[in-house]
Amino acid sequence: MKTIWVLFLTAVISVNSFGQTTSISGTVKDAQGQPIPLAFVRDVQHYYATYADSAGSFLLKADPSSVLVAIANGFADTQVKIENKTVVNIVMPTGTSSSANAAGNSAGLAGPETDGGGGVPYYQTLMTQTGSSTAVAAGFAHEPTRGSQFLLPHWVHGFAIGIKDSLWFDINNLYNYDKASGSLLFTKDMKTVMRINKPGIKYFSLFNGKLLPLTFENAPAISKKPYIEVLLNNAKYKIYKQTDNKLVQADFKSDGVITSGNRYDEYVDYEHYYFVKAGDKPKGISLKKKTLKELLGGDADKFIAAQGDRDVDDDYVRELGYSLAQ
């Protein structure tokens, strides 16, 4: 695969990461009361940020004495004082967003950023090709490849936090996660794909239209990959999800009477979950209510009881994590 280096095209905002925080919910709507999906909402004084979901609702931690700003293409940047409220609704007037357009001019470029040590640029362009295979191998025609090495079926919005607690975002970029390599990818034009190199990023979040983001960080005790997903994160413990993704080649065989195997290549996921208590080594776990109760003590009992017969899955654990942060 051919690679070339490119400039760092994401706006970097250096912000103060200190201060008290509180959980804030709200909505982002236009002047007619219609929701603005995937509006970017952040605390202007800190690195706390999120995107609104498909219904315009958002959740985030923020400094109660700070100000929220909402950013969306086609709307003027809008600031609202928090004033110690836990519910903040934002109404955005139509207009031009200076922040959304920042990466499109020289003022919004951060230059060829490096890690400060080895001089490795944060971004690498991957020249990719698309299309399904029509090759014939081992005497049979391949069917279209099934599954994907990418986490999400579509490119999505996201942002990252740098090692110095700087907020990196560009509302014009779209992101995805490569399950095979554990890398963060982004595109500006849906044609050229760029890989983000690990130096300089503490963690990143992807937004798939739901209220809670998909968050990834480096966890060398669990995986050698640059990033893996953290489903639950607080001061006492974390729950990680590692997805190993492998391409299984077509293995169709026939002697004219008996056939076996598949005519298609397939990307297959192998999922593993780990619990890490502060100061302890990672422990492999299964996502079950009994397991969560045992690992989290009484912390999870109230949330689990409120969920009734709901099955435990990734979203369940993300919501549990948010409830523990209240």
Side-chain angles (χ1 to χ4, degrees):
M1 179 178 289
K2 181 181 178 181
T3 61
I4 58 175
W5 301 113
V6 296
L7 296 180
F8 172 36
L9 298 175
T10 298
V12 177
I13 302 172
S14 295
V15 288
N16 181 0
S17 63
F18 301 100
Q20 295 181 339
T21 63
T22 187
S23 297
I24 297 175
S25 62
T27 59
V28 184
K29 297 182 178 181
D30 62 19
Q32 286 71 46
Q34 296 300 308
I36 303 177
L38 294 172
F40 186 66
V41 181
R42 70 176 182 89
D43 179 332
V44 299
Q45 296 179 9
H46 308 277
Y47 63 73
Y48 315 124
T50 191
Y51 280 84
D53 68 7
S54 56
S57 300
F58 67 87
L59 293 169
L60 85 162
K61 294 283 189 179
D63 185 332
S65 64
S66 188
V67 174
L68 296 182
V69 60
I71 301 166
N73 281 314
F75 296 87
D77 296 354
T78 304
Q79 294 192 4
V80 177
K81 293 181 178 180
I82 299 174
E83 296 179 327
N84 295 302
K85 297 190 293 289
T86 57
V87 177
V88 179
N89 295 318
I90 303 173
V91 177
M92 301 186 71
T94 56
T96 301
S97 169
S98 58
S99 298
N101 295 326
N105 55 57
S106 59
L109 296 178
E113 291 284 339
T114 65
D115 61 8
V120 179
Y122 287 137
Y123 294 91
Q124 184 180 30
T125 298
L126 307 179
M127 305 307 293
T128 61
Q129 295 181 344
T130 59
S132 59
S133 172
T134 58
V136 175
F140 65 90
H142 273 81
E143 296 177 358
T145 300
R146 300 188 182 184
S148 174
Q149 71 187 85
F150 303 115
L151 177 68
L152 300 165
H154 306 288
W155 293 89
V156 300
H157 289 283
F159 69 86
I161 301 299
I163 55 176
K164 296 182 179 179
D165 289 338
S166 54
L167 174 63
W168 298 0
F169 86 101
D170 185 338
I171 204 167
N172 298 300
N173 287 349
L174 293 174
Y175 302 85
N176 212 324
Y177 176 74
D178 183 349
K179 294 179 291 185
S181 68
S183 301
L184 174 61
L185 310 175
F186 82 93
T187 182
K188 283 186 162 298
D189 57 10
M190 305 300 289
K191 297 178 181 178
T192 301
V193 177
M194 285 169 268
R195 180 175 62 211
I196 300 179
N197 297 313
K198 185 167 71 69
I201 293 181
K202 182 186 295 185
Y203 69 86
F204 65 88
S205 295
L206 304 179
F207 291 79
N208 59 349
K210 296 184 179 181
L211 193 59
L212 296 179
L214 312 178
T215 301
F216 297 77
E217 64 180 35
N218 181 240
I222 299 174
S223 174
K224 294 181 180 180
K225 293 181 179 180
Y227 302 98
I228 65 171
E229 186 173 5
V230 53
L231 298 177
L232 186 154
N233 182 6
N234 66 21
K236 295 191 293 183
Y237 37 67
K238 295 183 179 182
I239 294 179
Y240 290 97
K241 176 185 179 182
Q242 176 179 315
T243 303
D244 295 321
N245 181 266
K246 297 181 180 180
L247 179 63
V248 178
Q249 301 285 346
D251 58 355
F252 180 82
K253 295 179 180 180
S254 175
D255 62 5
V257 177
I258 300 175
T259 61
S260 64
N262 297 315
R263 296 176 181 270
Y264 53 82
D265 298 340
E266 182 177 17
Y267 286 98
V268 179
D269 289 341
Y270 303 90
E271 299 174 340
H272 310 277
Y273 297 89
Y274 297 90
F275 177 80
V276 181
K277 190 174 182 179
D280 292 345
K281 294 182 179 180
K283 175 183 178 181
I285 64 170
S286 58
L287 292 191
K288 297 180 180 180
K289 294 178 184 178
K290 180 180 179 181
T291 303
L292 294 175
K293 285 186 176 183
E294 292 175 351
L295 294 174
L296 307 185
D299 294 348
D301 289 353
K302 183 177 179 180
F303 175 87
I304 292 174
Q307 302 308 305
D309 295 331
R310 178 184 173 188
D311 292 335
V312 178
D313 57 12
D314 294 352
D315 280 340
Y316 186 105
V317 180
R318 294 186 189 101
E319 293 171 24
L320 169 59
Y322 188 82
S323 74
L324 295 178
Q326 302 303 304

